[in-house]
Amino acid sequence: MAIPYEFHYEKPLTLQAALELLDKHGENSRLLAGGTDVANEIRMGFRVPGLLIDIKGLEELKAIRVTDGALHIGALVGFDTIRASKPIRDHCHILYEAAGLVASPGVRNRATMVGNICSAVACMDSAAPLLVHDALVHCRSLGGERVVPVAKWFVDNRKTCIGGRELVTHVSIPLQEVKCAGAYQKMMRYTGEDLAAANVGVLRFADGRCHVAFGSVGPIPKRSPRLEKHFLEHGVNPESIVRAREMLEKLIKPISDVRASKEYRMHMAGVMLERALIAAGERLKMPRVIAGKE
Amino acid sequence: MKKISFTLNGERRQVHVSPNEILLEVLRYKMGVKSPKSGCDSGDCGACTVILDGKAVRSCLIFAVEVDGQEILTLEGLSADGLSPLQQALLEKNAFQCGYCAPGMILSAHELLSNKPHPTEGEIKEAISGNLCRCTGYQPIIDAIKSLTQKR
Ligand code: FES
Ligand code: FES
């Protein structure tokens, strides 16, 4: 089906050139990386730009680096690259795990993680892993750099706090001082293409702390400070998990849609929370598959 | 209109496209390459799969202007000198019925086997996931790919 909307296309080869284009065209432009969301949205007539700025020529956005106490993931790093990256496996295993559940290999070969959090569809797979790791989103404009904690990044379904003249260069994930292990759970009808009807990310620390984030059970993915406090006070054990599942009823607000009813989502959020807590706990006992220092 | 040039099945090709033209449609209607199909036009079914710089991708989600300077392989290129061993195995096992999913299945399996000649059944399933087949129930396709990886 041909696309009935017309727009211009530019492919800048330096970050400076890209920022200048963005500055000039602002809200009338859109950035294009893997394009798996952008092409669909434009085809549907949603957020059709006057100018499409293809950033795939910006080599400096392709790197995965471990420096200055953080793991840096460039804006052009695709989910297939995340799956093949040892630094990501070592320092943010939950992201490696979630990346393997994004759509299908044919989409992962092109889709980027930063694109995922910029499209910000409530069911995105990258959000919960980044939230439990307290990741930072690095934005650039001609005016300079702005760093946003991922917990403040999402504003609404499909809406982030990015400015019209900003571009995300990379995401950084602080390396943990304390030994920790994560686990990601995604509720879907089948593997290979389905969007998450709900997802849960958990990061457990050797000192008893526990980070918990949910996706697809509200307009934006979120950490749950109430549950984190609960687990810090009571530990993670069968009783505290039962209690946490009761608390969930008040903490998340899933909706009913074509993929699942709100009752089913609510129930499964509890089941997945339990599974993720147990999996992360088991991983915490293992010498490998661990983020943070030994 | 922009003039782009890329390698299509081993041949250097040039074509004029406007930015809103989707690669799948340019391949089919401007370049005469008909093996990639339109199934869903939204990245869900795999029928439009092509190999772009060595990776299986969805040509319904790519603007043609994006592939300037790159290299594309489709079934036409894969079988330029007769059926590939992979295609032969699928044929022998009668793995397809209507065949609509075949181009995507074959190219996805081709990418897998190029990187990993002896994959596990799990890896085969993973590689072809996202290619929807409404006829076969997948098993004959998986069996055919498996038979090939064991023969070697
Ligand atoms: S037509 Fe491209 S994935 Fe279905
Ligand atoms: S053989 Fe008909 S869709 Fe697969």
Side-chain angles (χ1 to χ4, degrees):
Chain A
M1 189 184 51
I3 292 180
Y5 312 98
E6 297 205 353
F7 45 85
H8 296 279
Y9 171 92
E10 293 279 354
K11 187 174 181 181
L13 295 178
T14 63
L15 184 55
Q16 182 64 22
L19 294 176
E20 280 167 15
L21 278 172
L22 259 181
D23 196 66
K24 186 158 164 227
H25 298 274
E27 309 275 354
N28 189 33
S29 63
R30 266 195 93 165
L31 296 168
L32 174 72
T36 49
D37 285 327
V38 174
N40 265 336
E41 290 185 357
I42 291 180
R43 180 184 274 120
M44 292 185 301
F46 181 65
R47 297 206 279 192
V48 180
L51 172 66
L52 200 55
I53 305 175
D54 187 349
I55 57 170
K56 284 192 287 294
L58 308 183
E59 290 300 321
E60 60 262 62
L61 306 189
K62 293 184 182 166
I64 299 172
R65 276 196 211 102
V66 182
T67 50
D68 304 325
L71 167 68
H72 303 263
I73 303 176
L76 290 172
V77 172
F79 287 110
D80 60 325
T81 311
I82 289 180
R83 291 292 292 173
S85 162
K86 184 158 177 345
I88 293 179
R89 265 182 101 140
D90 287 350
H91 297 291
C92 193
H93 189 269
I94 182 176
L95 180 62
Y96 164 81
E97 187 179 19
L101 294 172
V102 173
S104 58
V107 171
R108 296 201 286 272
N109 275 344
R110 199 123 175 118
T112 64
M113 181 194 77
V114 166
N116 196 226
I117 62 164
C118 285
S119 298
V121 180
C123 58
M124 79 202 100
D125 289 296
S126 322
L130 294 178
L131 280 164
V132 296
H133 271 277
D134 294 308
L136 301 170
V137 184
H138 297 252
C139 306
R140 273 288 289 278
S141 65
L142 280 187
E145 191 185 40
R146 187 168 70 104
V147 182
V148 185
V150 76
K152 300 226 165 92
W153 178 248
F154 303 107
V155 175
D156 201 349
N157 186 30
R158 295 181 185 269
K159 197 163 169 32
T160 70
C161 68
I162 195 168
R165 291 173 167 76
E166 281 182 324
L167 171 159
V168 175
T169 53
H170 64 287
V171 164
S172 64
I173 296 165
L175 303 184
Q176 301 291 343
E177 293 291 326
V178 176
K179 184 175 170 184
C180 61
Y184 180 73
Q185 288 279 318
K186 173 175 180 174
M187 167 186 159
M188 48 189 178
R189 294 166 301 185
Y190 52 89
T191 49
E193 205 50 69
D194 215 10
L195 302 170
N199 64 61
V200 179
V202 161
L203 187 66
R204 289 182 64 178
F205 295 82
D207 60 12
R209 282 177 299 139
C210 177
H211 293 173
V212 180
F214 292 93
S216 229
V217 290
I220 61 171
K222 266 191 193 152
R223 283 273 287 273
S224 178
R226 292 279 304 277
L227 285 182
E228 294 179 5
K229 187 160 167 272
H230 167 74
F231 288 121
L232 191 62
E233 283 168 3
H234 303 279
V236 177
N237 50 55
E239 297 76 42
S240 73
I241 293 177
V242 170
R243 178 75 193 108
R245 289 185 58 173
E246 289 162 9
M247 290 165 69
L248 260 190
E249 304 269 338
K250 293 220 168 63
L251 296 174
I252 59 174
K253 290 191 188 56
I255 54 161
S256 293
D257 68 9
V258 62
R259 280 178 277 136
S261 67
K262 62 175 188 292
E263 292 81 7
Y264 184 47
R265 280 200 165 101
M266 180 61 86
H267 176 75
M268 284 307 294
V271 171
M272 292 192 299
L273 173 64
E274 176 163 357
R275 287 180 186 161
L277 285 165
I278 292 170
E282 290 302 316
R283 288 173 185 172
L284 198 53
K285 294 180 197 154
M286 302 190 327
R288 273 165 45 87
V289 195
I290 276 167
K293 288 181 195 153
E294 285 292 309
Chain B
M1 284 278 178
K2 269 197 190 333
K3 184 160 137 193
I4 58 167
S5 77
F6 58 99
T7 307
L8 178 57
N9 295 324
E11 235 180 89
R12 199 79 191 151
R13 301 279 298 265
Q14 293 190 330
V15 63
H16 284 89
V17 294
S18 36
N20 65 354
E21 285 187 85
I22 288 290
L23 178 60
L24 173 62
E25 279 142 32
V26 170
L27 289 174
R28 287 180 60 85
Y29 305 122
K30 287 192 166 171
M31 324 289 281
V33 167
K34 298 280 178 134
S35 69
K37 310 265 184 286
S38 165
C40 64
D41 264 344
S42 57
D44 294 329
C45 75
C48 64
T49 300
V50 302
I51 305 254
L52 177 62
D53 283 353
K55 292 189 202 174
V57 298
R58 313 260 143 138
S59 67
C60 71
L61 296 182
I62 297 174
F63 296 104
V65 280
E66 292 179 68
V67 305
D68 189 25
Q70 298 193 294
E71 194 170 335
I72 291 177
L73 177 74
T74 67
L75 278 195
E76 286 82 351
L78 194 68
S79 51
D81 305 316
L83 294 185
S84 70
L86 172 62
Q87 288 172 301
Q88 198 61 50
L90 289 156
L91 182 66
E92 276 164 24
K93 297 267 172 197
N94 201 16
F96 297 111
Q97 287 180 31
C98 80
Y100 205 82
C101 66
M105 292 285 184
I106 295 168
L107 292 177
S108 300
H110 174 77
E111 183 197 15
L112 172 71
L113 298 180
S114 315
N115 298 322
K116 207 161 206 205
H118 303 287
T120 62
E121 177 157 344
E123 288 165 336
I124 294 172
K125 286 184 177 167
E126 166 89 21
I128 64 168
S129 69
N131 288 283
L132 303 188
C133 175
R134 54 180 294 183
C135 303
T136 67
Y138 303 98
Q139 201 54 49
I141 302 173
I142 295 164
D143 290 344
I145 301 172
K146 234 165 63 181
S147 76
L148 183 79
T149 61
Q150 284 160 358
K151 239 188 263 168
R152 290 178 190 174

